[in-house]
PDB file of all heavy atoms in Angstrom:
ATOM      1  N   GLY C 404      17.487  47.346 -53.273  1.00 87.00           N
ATOM      2  CA  GLY C 404      17.295  48.338 -54.340  1.00 87.00           C
ATOM      3  C   GLY C 404      16.758  47.777 -55.590  1.00 87.00           C
ATOM      4  O   GLY C 404      15.789  48.295 -56.237  1.00 87.00           O
ATOM      5  N   GLU C 405      17.213  46.540 -56.012  1.00 88.00           N
ATOM      6  CA  GLU C 405      16.694  45.907 -57.234  1.00 88.00           C
ATOM      7  C   GLU C 405      15.195  45.664 -57.175  1.00 88.00           C
ATOM      8  O   GLU C 405      14.457  45.846 -58.134  1.00 88.00           O
ATOM      9  CB  GLU C 405      17.439  44.549 -57.546  1.00 88.00           C
ATOM     10  CG  GLU C 405      18.920  44.649 -57.593  1.00 88.00           C
ATOM     11  CD  GLU C 405      19.497  44.380 -56.268  1.00 88.00           C
ATOM     12  OE1 GLU C 405      19.059  44.917 -55.207  1.00 88.00           O
ATOM     13  OE2 GLU C 405      20.581  43.702 -56.165  1.00 88.00           O
ATOM     14  N   ILE C 406      14.738  45.183 -56.022  1.00 88.00           N
ATOM     15  CA  ILE C 406      13.344  44.847 -55.856  1.00 88.00           C
ATOM     16  C   ILE C 406      12.556  46.154 -55.814  1.00 88.00           C
ATOM     17  O   ILE C 406      11.411  46.205 -56.345  1.00 88.00           O
ATOM     18  CB  ILE C 406      13.157  44.018 -54.537  1.00 88.00           C
ATOM     19  CG1 ILE C 406      13.855  42.677 -54.730  1.00 88.00           C
ATOM     20  CG2 ILE C 406      11.627  43.742 -54.324  1.00 88.00           C
ATOM     21  CD1 ILE C 406      13.755  41.786 -53.571  1.00 88.00           C
ATOM     22  N   LYS C 407      13.023  47.223 -55.114  1.00 88.00           N
ATOM     23  CA  LYS C 407      12.328  48.472 -55.146  1.00 88.00           C
ATOM     24  C   LYS C 407      12.091  48.953 -56.555  1.00 88.00           C
ATOM     25  O   LYS C 407      11.081  49.540 -56.857  1.00 88.00           O
ATOM     26  CB  LYS C 407      13.143  49.449 -54.271  1.00 88.00           C
ATOM     27  CG  LYS C 407      12.843  49.415 -52.860  1.00 88.00           C
ATOM     28  CD  LYS C 407      13.461  50.632 -52.155  1.00 88.00           C
ATOM     29  CE  LYS C 407      13.147  50.633 -50.719  1.00 88.00           C
ATOM     30  NZ  LYS C 407      14.011  51.496 -49.986  1.00 88.00           N
ATOM     31  N   ALA C 408      13.137  48.777 -57.410  1.00 89.00           N
ATOM     32  CA  ALA C 408      12.980  49.281 -58.762  1.00 89.00           C
ATOM     33  C   ALA C 408      11.910  48.528 -59.477  1.00 89.00           C
ATOM     34  O   ALA C 408      11.057  49.069 -60.210  1.00 89.00           O
ATOM     35  CB  ALA C 408      14.269  49.038 -59.533  1.00 89.00           C
ATOM     36  N   VAL C 409      11.804  47.182 -59.227  1.00 89.00           N
ATOM     37  CA  VAL C 409      10.760  46.345 -59.808  1.00 89.00           C
ATOM     38  C   VAL C 409       9.373  46.812 -59.292  1.00 89.00           C
ATOM     39  O   VAL C 409       8.422  46.969 -60.090  1.00 89.00           O
ATOM     40  CB  VAL C 409      10.960  44.908 -59.521  1.00 89.00           C
ATOM     41  CG1 VAL C 409       9.791  44.015 -59.903  1.00 89.00           C
ATOM     42  CG2 VAL C 409      12.262  44.372 -60.166  1.00 89.00           C
ATOM     43  N   PHE C 410       9.265  47.054 -57.998  1.00 87.00           N
ATOM     44  CA  PHE C 410       7.974  47.532 -57.355  1.00 87.00           C
ATOM     45  C   PHE C 410       7.574  48.870 -58.124  1.00 87.00           C
ATOM     46  O   PHE C 410       6.355  49.013 -58.477  1.00 87.00           O
ATOM     47  CB  PHE C 410       8.179  47.862 -55.945  1.00 87.00           C
ATOM     48  CG  PHE C 410       8.228  46.634 -55.123  1.00 87.00           C
ATOM     49  CD1 PHE C 410       8.847  46.668 -53.830  1.00 87.00           C
ATOM     50  CD2 PHE C 410       7.724  45.370 -55.511  1.00 87.00           C
ATOM     51  CE1 PHE C 410       8.993  45.545 -53.061  1.00 87.00           C
ATOM     52  CE2 PHE C 410       7.858  44.288 -54.719  1.00 87.00           C
ATOM     53  CZ  PHE C 410       8.494  44.359 -53.478  1.00 87.00           C
ATOM     54  N   SER C 411       8.515  49.752 -58.268  1.00 88.00           N
ATOM     55  CA  SER C 411       8.089  51.038 -58.836  1.00 88.00           C
ATOM     56  C   SER C 411       7.736  50.923 -60.306  1.00 88.00           C
ATOM     57  O   SER C 411       6.770  51.570 -60.785  1.00 88.00           O
ATOM     58  CB  SER C 411       9.194  52.104 -58.552  1.00 88.00           C
ATOM     59  OG  SER C 411       9.990  52.386 -59.628  1.00 88.00           O
ATOM     60  N   THR C 412       8.443  50.021 -61.067  1.00 88.00           N
ATOM     61  CA  THR C 412       7.970  49.861 -62.508  1.00 88.00           C
ATOM     62  C   THR C 412       6.598  49.205 -62.588  1.00 88.00           C
ATOM     63  O   THR C 412       5.842  49.423 -63.447  1.00 88.00           O
ATOM     64  CB  THR C 412       9.038  49.124 -63.309  1.00 88.00           C
ATOM     65  OG1 THR C 412       9.545  48.084 -62.553  1.00 88.00           O
ATOM     66  CG2 THR C 412      10.237  50.026 -63.731  1.00 88.00           C
ATOM     67  N   ILE C 413       6.423  48.184 -61.660  1.00 87.00           N
ATOM     68  CA  ILE C 413       5.083  47.541 -61.700  1.00 87.00           C
ATOM     69  C   ILE C 413       3.950  48.579 -61.425  1.00 87.00           C
ATOM     70  O   ILE C 413       2.916  48.623 -62.056  1.00 87.00           O
ATOM     71  CB  ILE C 413       4.983  46.428 -60.599  1.00 87.00           C
ATOM     72  CG1 ILE C 413       5.764  45.250 -61.025  1.00 87.00           C
ATOM     73  CG2 ILE C 413       3.533  46.005 -60.396  1.00 87.00           C
ATOM     74  CD1 ILE C 413       5.954  44.138 -60.037  1.00 87.00           C
ATOM     75  N   GLU C 414       4.273  49.469 -60.473  1.00 84.00           N
ATOM     76  CA  GLU C 414       3.263  50.535 -60.091  1.00 84.00           C
ATOM     77  C   GLU C 414       3.078  51.497 -61.315  1.00 84.00           C
ATOM     78  O   GLU C 414       1.894  51.861 -61.597  1.00 84.00           O
ATOM     79  CB  GLU C 414       3.893  51.292 -58.903  1.00 84.00           C
ATOM     80  CG  GLU C 414       2.787  52.081 -58.162  1.00 84.00           C
ATOM     81  CD  GLU C 414       3.322  52.668 -56.851  1.00 84.00           C
ATOM     82  OE1 GLU C 414       4.342  52.216 -56.362  1.00 84.00           O
ATOM     83  OE2 GLU C 414       2.726  53.647 -56.380  1.00 84.00           O
ATOM     84  N   ASN C 415       4.151  51.868 -61.927  1.00 85.00           N
ATOM     85  CA  ASN C 415       4.024  52.878 -63.015  1.00 85.00           C
ATOM     86  C   ASN C 415       3.604  52.289 -64.323  1.00 85.00           C
ATOM     87  O   ASN C 415       2.831  52.832 -65.137  1.00 85.00           O
ATOM     88  CB  ASN C 415       5.401  53.654 -63.191  1.00 85.00           C
ATOM     89  CG  ASN C 415       5.769  54.397 -61.933  1.00 85.00           C
ATOM     90  OD1 ASN C 415       4.836  54.826 -61.211  1.00 85.00           O
ATOM     91  ND2 ASN C 415       6.958  54.489 -61.634  1.00 85.00           N
TER      92      ASN C 415
END
Side-chain angles (χ1 to χ4, degrees):
E405 304 91 318
I406 296 178
K407 273 188 176 165
V409 171
F410 288 157
S411 106
T412 44
I413 287 175
E414 199 174 339
N415 296 329

